[in-house]
Every structure is written in C-alpha cells, then in structure tokens.
Amino acid sequence: MLGGIAGAVTLLVFSGVAQLVALVSGPSSAPTIAIGQLLVAHVPLWLEHFAIRTFGEHDKTALLVGVDSVLVVLGVGVGALGRRRVAIGGLVLLSAVAAAAALAQASAGPLRAVPALVGGVAAMAAYLLLTAAPGPTTETARSAPAPLGSPGDPSRRRFLTLTGGMAVLGAATLIAGRTALARAYSAVAARAAVVLPRPTSSTPAVAGTGFDVPGLDSYITPNDRFYRVDTALVVPQLSTSDYRLRVHGDVEHPFEIGFDELLAMPMVERTVTLVCVSDPVGGPYLGNARWLGVPIRHLLERAVVHPGADQLFMTSSDGMTIGADLRAAGSSDAAMLAVGMNGEPLPFEHGFPVRAVVPGFYGYASACKWLVDMEVTTYAAKSAYWVERGYDERGAIHLESKIDTPGSFASLSAGVVDVAGSAWHPGIGISRVQVAVDQGPWHDATLAAVDSVDTWRLWRWRWDATPGTHSLSVRAIDARGRVQTAATAGVVPGGATGLQSVVVTVR
C-alpha cells in the first residue's frame, strides 16, 4: 500500500513540475495536454464519435480527466510492485512519450520537450527519495527493496512526512503552473481592446423569425450556447498585435496580412447557420449567428488565383487543417474571414481573433477557427485532416430538419400541442416543412421568416393531440423543391441523413 502511495505522489510531482515548467514553452507542452492531443490525432473514428455522443461538448474535459486518471492508476500500480528499477524505467518511458507527443505538435520547437523531461527528472528524484533505504548494497537488493515500512526502509513516520511534503509540492506546482499559464498566455486584454468596425453591407433584420414556443431554439443562437466541436484541448489565445495571416499557394501575389489591416478592410455582416458533420439526425451540433467579417473573395482577388485551383486549404494556429471549396469561398460575401459574432469580437472558443465561415458546408470543410494560413491549391494535391480520416472532401450540408419540442418520450395533455423545430439547407433555403403523426399524411407547418437563405428556418405545427402513444416525424423541402431524404446514413463520410421521429404519450 505504501508503495502505491509513493507511486501516486511521484506522478503528482511529475505533472506539477512539468506544468510549471510549461511556462517557457506554452500550455500545449504540458504532458497531460500533449498526450491528450496525441490521442486525439490517432483515436479511431468510432471512439471519437462515441465520445462526442456520450460527453458532447465536454469530451475534451473527459479526455483530460481520463489521461490523468490513467497516469495515477499506473503510478499506484508500479509503485505497489516495490521494484525501483521498474518504477524508474516507467518514469523514463512516460517522460519520453510526453516529450515526443509535445514535439509532434504543429510548429513545435525543441522547447516543447522541456516540461516532460524536467518533470521526469523531478519525479525520479522524488521516487528515489521516498524509497531510499540504508542497508543492502547489491544491485538485486537495490532493484527489489524490502517493502516500505520494514526494518530496512525509512520509518513509516518519515515516509509519511516525506510523502505529505511531496504531495503538497506536487499539488502546489500543479496549481501554480496552471494559474500562471492561464495568465501568461491569455489574450483576454487583446480581445477586450478590439473595437469592431461598422459593416459596409449588412442583411437587414426582419420581423417574425421565431415563435413563442417553450423549448424552441431562438433564431439567433447566443454565443454562450453556440455548439463547439473541435480538437483543441487548449483553446488558443492569439494576440491581435502579432497576428499574421498568410495567403499563398497557387496565386500570383502571395502576401501576409495583420489583424489591424483586416479590420480596415470593408466589412460585411451576414446571418449564417453552421453545422457539424458529427451532428446526428435531430442532434444539437448546429447554430445560427450574425457574423461580421471580410469576404474571402477580396483576399483572393488581391492574391490573383491561378487557373485550375479548386481548394482553399486553411490551417489554424494549433495545426488543424480544413479544406474549403474554393469556388464557394470566393463567390459569396457571406463566405468570410469573421472577426465578430453576434455583435462582439469572436469568443476564444469560436476562433478569436479570425475564423473562416463558408455557408453551405459542414464545419470540417469550411469553418477553420484560429486561422493563420490560407493556401490556394487543389484537392488532388492536398488533403485536410478530416478528409484523411475518411470524410468527403467537399462536405456539403444535407437538407435536414429537427423537432425541438416536444421531446422524445414527453408526456402531454390532450388538446392543441405546439410541435416546433428548425430546418436548414444553407445556400439554398427552406420552402416548406411538414409533420406526420403515426406515419400518416404529411401536414404543412407554419414557417417563420428568415433574413437569408444561409440560415435555418424555424417552424411550428399545431397538433390536436388525442390520448395514446404517438410518433411525430418531420421533413423539409428546400427552395428548389427537393424533399429531405428518408434514407438513413451515418455521419461518415458526408453527414447523417434520415428523418427524425419522436415518440410521445398523450394523456
């Protein structure tokens, strides 16, 4: 038992010291983050989808807690074996894996490995101190000492004192490191100083974009409720003062542009719905916002694109790559480099200071956050992160709809019931939404107004509910007359399809 305690405390010292040392190389070099990011890059798709379905937007927290928990369990297990050579070997291996994971990150320099290496040395010193014992001097005795607390080892009181001190040291360095990292690498002041310019072009606000129905989404999704699905375990904190966006590739005039220069360009404001390809039929991973930004076509016109290019290959500050359809990115003012969201600078979680928004395409093929590089190229020449993992390279959003209320297995009172939800086909728009009860005939719902074909459309149908158990289904028809498919498909390779149904009980 005492050996297990020594192992756990040793791992705490490793994490704490490494976290503090990460001040010199950035938050992503801390071992837990580095190992977690490595897992994200190589986890099987089925496991990733399971994590998103199970934990939703808390999947990153669950991963980091999982990494820490595994390290603690390993520390307890190795320490309980009471074999010093095995424990030291395990610490060496852990340090090497964490260092390699940090070095594998985008734009990683040698400093990224320092936290893991220093943390490893500190952990080894802590373990040797906790298990130090006078007596046997042979190699066999040193590699397999008597159990802690035996006559040949430090007294139990001395061991517990040392262990308590090491635990306090580890916890103190861990807390201090995380606090100092959050302050040292924070861009909160930079974001607070941003004054968004007035748009030179804006879609006019229209009345009647929603319904007063409890449980129905609002037309504009508040920033703090807008979905977040990405692979960043640490949200990038980029300063506007040294921000640079590189535009290059198959262009006549490659260039770089800073944040202030972007703000000085003509801005547009558009309402656009974003959808994650991980969204299941009837799922929560979509939102509608007012975006302020510079049309991407203005930057492409400045660069002068070569004939034959068909992909805008974008890279975020954390190395994520996203390939967008070049024609779509350059043909609409709504395809923009956004700097504002719902009247304020982009939240950090949604891409501050600059992100891409390209209507009509799932986020993995359009919505690069923390954008620092745009390369004009071809789909044949380069494949982005999610395309390499089996997703369709274009990623056009399907015609879809969902029921927000009533929810599945709701218990309702007989009489008139509001059935309501949203439907979307960004870039094309929605012309009709229909609801069926118990696979019966389709009934037209009432549609709310919209200010753009690039947004979802809220709908409501008033149902005269009769007692019993019933199923409610919904389908949408877009502005070109196409009917939402009932054929079911999973999220890979190009997004889920099918019709959502909910089962309710009417009393």
Side-chain angles (χ1 to χ4, degrees):
M1 177 179 176
L2 296 181
I5 293 174
V9 170
T10 297
L11 264 296
L12 180 59
V13 170
F14 170 76
S15 297
V17 171
Q19 188 83 33
L20 193 60
V21 176
L23 276 168
V24 303
S25 50
S28 59
S29 64
T32 299
I33 300 298
I35 293 173
Q37 206 70 62
L38 185 67
L39 292 174
V40 167
H42 297 286
V43 69
L45 276 179
W46 67 265
L47 185 56
E48 181 172 346
H49 293 155
F50 170 79
I52 292 175
R53 289 195 306 270
T54 305
F55 301 107
E57 297 183 20
H58 301 292
D59 57 339
K60 300 167 189 64
T61 301
L63 174 61
L64 295 178
V65 170
V67 171
D68 283 333
S69 299
V70 169
L71 291 181
V72 170
V73 169
L74 289 176
V76 171
V78 172
L81 292 175
R83 298 187 63 86
R84 192 173 298 164
R85 184 178 296 173
V86 173
I88 296 300
L91 288 171
V92 170
L93 179 61
L94 174 60
S95 299
V97 169
L103 291 173
Q105 296 169 353
S107 305
L111 279 178
R112 291 282 181 93
V114 171
L117 299 179
V118 174
V121 171
M124 283 181 250
Y127 184 80
L128 291 174
L129 182 60
L130 288 174
T131 59
T137 57
T138 65
E139 181 62 25
T140 301
R142 285 197 300 271
S143 63
L148 284 167
S150 70
D153 282 304
S155 68
R156 180 180 295 265
R157 178 178 297 177
R158 177 173 178 269
F159 170 77
L160 292 176
T161 300
L162 280 173
T163 301
M166 292 291 181
V168 170
L169 173 65
T173 53
L174 188 62
I175 294 171
R178 288 181 177 174
T179 302
L181 277 170
R183 292 178 178 174
Y185 290 89
S186 172
V188 171
R191 181 177 181 272
V194 172
V195 178
L196 295 177
R198 293 179 62 86
T200 57
S201 170
S202 180
T203 51
V206 298
T209 55
F211 298 103
D212 185 16
V213 176
L216 176 65
D217 283 325
S218 59
Y219 181 61
I220 298 298
T221 308
N223 290 353
D224 60 356
R225 290 175 50 198
F226 205 95
Y227 81 94
R228 178 196 168 198
V229 177
D230 54 55
T231 62
L233 296 183
V234 175
V235 176
Q237 301 272 319
L238 304 182
S239 172
T240 56
S241 60
D242 55 9
Y243 174 82
R244 303 295 293 176
L245 171 65
R246 183 185 179 210
V247 182
H248 63 111
D250 294 338
V251 298
E252 193 70 24
H253 304 296
F255 64 92
E256 289 189 0
I257 188 170
F259 186 73
D260 289 341
E261 188 177 353
L262 272 175
L263 287 188
M265 295 181 69
M267 292 272 168
V268 299
E269 188 175 47
R270 298 288 187 269
T271 309
V272 178
T273 293
L274 300 186
V275 186
C276 179
V277 73
S278 298
D279 194 47
V281 173
Y285 302 123
L286 73 161
N288 191 45
R290 295 276 286 180
W291 306 95
L292 174 73
V294 177
I296 294 174
R297 65 180 179 85
H298 291 340
L299 288 91
L300 297 178
E301 290 167 358
R302 173 176 169 180
V304 185
V305 175
H306 290 161
D310 62 3
Q311 179 182 203
L312 186 61
F313 192 84
M314 300 178 284
T315 305
S316 73
S317 65
D318 67 346
M320 170 55 65
T321 56
I322 285 178
D325 182 281
L326 182 64
R327 181 176 179 180
S331 61
S332 165
D333 280 356
M336 68 176 76
L337 298 186
V339 297
M341 181 179 181
N342 291 335
E344 65 179 71
L346 291 171
F348 292 109
E349 294 82 0
H350 296 293
F352 179 84
V354 178
R355 68 169 295 160
V357 173
V358 182
F361 297 85
Y362 289 111
Y364 83 91
S366 67
C368 188
K369 298 190 283 191
W370 314 296
L371 180 65
V372 295
D373 190 279
M374 294 199 309
E375 179 182 0
V376 176
T377 182
T378 65
Y379 285 105
K382 302 193 77 167
S383 294
Y385 178 87
W386 290 109
V387 175
E388 290 181 342
R389 295 169 71 81
Y391 284 85
D392 176 69
E393 64 182 14
R394 303 285 175 164
I397 296 173
H398 298 302
L399 167 62
E400 291 290 328
S401 59
K402 70 185 179 84
I403 299 172
D404 286 335
T405 184
S408 292
F409 309 114
S411 180
L412 309 172
S413 298
V416 177
V417 172
D418 279 322
V419 183
S422 57
W424 58 94
H425 203 187
I428 297 172
I430 299 297
S431 64
R432 298 169 69 190
V433 173
Q434 297 178 321
V435 181
V437 181
D438 299 328
Q439 290 77 53
W442 291 101
H443 304 275
D444 284 326
T446 301
L447 301 182
V450 292
D451 62 18
S452 165
V453 297
D454 293 323
T455 76
W456 62 15
R457 194 163 194 175
L458 304 185
W459 58 267
R460 178 180 68 181
W461 180 61
R462 311 212 74 182
W463 173 39
D464 189 6
T466 58
T469 299
H470 302 282
S471 68
L472 301 170
S473 303
V474 63
R475 72 179 185 183
I477 301 170
D478 71 15
R480 296 176 182 173
R482 288 179 293 192
V483 180
Q484 179 181 345
T485 181
T488 60
V491 299
V492 181
T497 64
L499 302 183
Q500 183 191 10
S501 295
V502 298
V503 175
V504 298
T505 299
V506 180
R507 304 184 303 276

